[in-house]
């Protein structure tokens, strides 16, 4: 699919993608590379999945434009640490894609403890806010910077059992996207979000049974689960000033019609 993208859309642009070692983030990073970007890919806690999802078949001109970093974003100070690593490679960031995140586990609302609250929200909210805040000056340097956050269908639909902290965190990201968009617009920075539906990545291999996924696919108007590649185009669109210069504060749903406003 990445071969279908405009090869120069992000030429000379420096793009940061978190959680890019696998799944949606890997597909997004590959799509930016296909469009000529220089990509700083935060792979995840390790680079274990990079050779499976991010780099297979990448031509040498694309790997030459790819830098891979790692870091556990659930740890205190991790957003700031990752920002420092990114800035040590250059003081300008044209596009920041906040994608790293997960449900952490299915935790029933009645069983939520302070510790679990922190485990989910430190990763899905705190690190995103910290990384973004630390990179705002670099996005300002870009003059027409763009931030694309990753929300979820569960932000609006509530998610399935055991996802209250995660769904709440994604709801935060959707609202925060709008607030931030208003605040940083004078700096020429646009802020939007992609809200994936049920996308077949390791996320659902971990948290959903095959039976549940079959039933979900059957109920989706397009009659299938999404793929990581299905999401990539929305990120490119929102990040591109050629395509979306007048789009800010929006959350785009990519879900095969699973949820319609
Ligand atoms: N799949 C879906 O149906 C779906 C739907 C809506 C929203 N989303 C969102 O889309 C984003 C990508 O999810 P995905 O489906 O691609 O899942 P995935 O395949 O599990 O990938 C998640 C990415 O986030 C990283 N990550 C998780 N915990 C981390 C931590 N503590 N520190 C640093 N990095 C961490 C992972 O790195 P590791 O390799 O270290 O785990 C991985 O790179 C997430 O924000 C997710 O909430 C997914």
């Amino acid at each position: 699919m990445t071969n279908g993208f405009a090869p120069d859309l992000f030429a000379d642009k420096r793009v940061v993608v978190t959680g890019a070692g696998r799944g949606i983030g890997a597909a997004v990073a590959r799509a930016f590379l296909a469009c000529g970007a220089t990509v700083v890919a935060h792979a995840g806690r390790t680079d274990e999945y990079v050779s499976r999802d991010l780099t297979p078949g990448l031509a040498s001109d694309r790997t030459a434009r790819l830098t891979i970093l790692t870091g556990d974003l659930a740890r205190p100070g991790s957003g700031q640490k990752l920002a420092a690593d990114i800035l040590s490679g250059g003081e300008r960031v044209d596009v920041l894609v906040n994608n790293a995140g997960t449900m952490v586990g299915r935790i029933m609302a009645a069983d939520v403890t302070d510790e679990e609250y922190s485990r989910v929200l430190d990763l899905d909210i705190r690190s995103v806010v910290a990384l973004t805040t630390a990179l705002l000056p670099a996005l300002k340097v870009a003059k027409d910077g763009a931030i694309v956050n990753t929300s979820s269908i569960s932000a609006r639909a509530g998610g399935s059992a055991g996802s209250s902290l995660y769904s709440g965190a994604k709801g935060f990201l959707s609202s925060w996207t709008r607030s931030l968009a208003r605040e940083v617009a004078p700096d020429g920075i646009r802020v939007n979000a992609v809200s994936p539906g049920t996308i077949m990545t390791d996320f659902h291999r971990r948290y959903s049974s095959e039976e549940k996924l079959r039933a979900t696919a059957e109920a989706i108007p397009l009659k299938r689960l999404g793929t990581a590649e299905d999401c990539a185009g929305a990120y490119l669109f929102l990040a591109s000033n050629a395509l979306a210069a007048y789009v800010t504060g929006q959350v785009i749903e990519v879900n095969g019609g699973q949820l319609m406003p």
Side-chain angles (χ1 to χ4, degrees):
M1 169 178 175
T2 48
N3 289 334
F5 294 133
D8 295 329
L9 192 59
F10 291 96
D12 303 322
K13 299 288 186 189
R14 185 162 183 252
V15 176
V16 174
V17 184
T18 67
R22 53 172 154 165
I24 294 170
V28 169
R30 288 174 65 90
F32 275 110
L33 287 168
C35 293
T38 295
V39 174
V40 180
H42 159 266
R45 288 161 288 189
T46 68
D47 59 4
E48 186 181 346
Y49 299 97
V50 162
S51 59
R52 187 194 71 183
D53 284 7
L54 178 57
T55 54
L58 270 191
S60 56
D61 70 304
R62 294 184 191 178
T63 48
R65 285 184 272 111
L66 175 64
T67 302
I68 294 173
L69 303 174
T70 57
D72 184 347
L73 291 173
R75 296 212 170 144
S78 56
Q80 293 87 339
K81 162 83 172 61
L82 178 58
D85 291 346
I86 292 163
L87 294 172
S88 73
E91 64 164 19
R92 194 191 86 224
V93 171
D94 296 280
V95 177
L96 168 62
V97 175
N98 285 311
N99 167 78
T102 188
M103 203 182 302
V104 179
R106 287 207 179 266
I107 310 159
M108 298 307 285
D111 301 328
V112 169
T113 62
D114 267 1
E115 193 193 3
E116 276 153 341
Y117 176 93
S118 298
R119 272 206 305 152
V120 179
L121 274 63
D122 282 356
L123 171 64
D124 289 322
I125 296 180
R126 189 188 298 276
S127 76
V128 179
V129 173
L131 177 65
T132 304
T133 305
L135 290 183
L136 280 179
L139 284 150
K140 198 170 163 181
V141 169
K143 304 274 190 251
D144 53 4
I147 299 169
V148 187
N149 296 318
T150 303
S151 184
S152 166
I153 189 172
S154 67
R156 290 177 61 212
S160 48
S163 75
S164 62
L165 292 177
Y166 171 78
S167 301
K170 292 301 190 180
F172 173 100
L173 288 187
S174 291
S175 297
W176 180 70
T177 294
R178 298 182 191 102
S179 307
L180 191 62
R182 194 166 277 122
E183 264 194 50
V184 301
D187 297 323
I189 303 170
R190 296 179 303 101
V191 189
N192 293 285
V194 175
S195 172
T198 307
I199 310 301
M200 209 40 224
T201 63
D202 289 343
F203 182 101
H204 281 292
R205 288 182 196 107
R206 272 193 306 273
Y207 302 128
S208 304
S209 67
E210 280 188 24
E211 189 188 358
K212 180 174 185 290
L213 291 170
R214 255 196 308 277
T216 301
E218 188 52 37
I220 290 173
L222 290 183
K223 292 289 173 216
R224 65 175 177 86
L225 303 177
T227 64
E229 288 74 17
D230 284 327
C231 300
Y235 286 87
L236 293 188
F237 168 71
L238 291 171
S240 163
N241 284 295
L243 301 177
Y246 200 51
V247 180
T248 197
Q250 305 304 311
V251 179
I252 294 190
E253 309 286 336
V254 180
N255 60 33
Q258 192 175 0
L259 178 74
M260 300 187 195

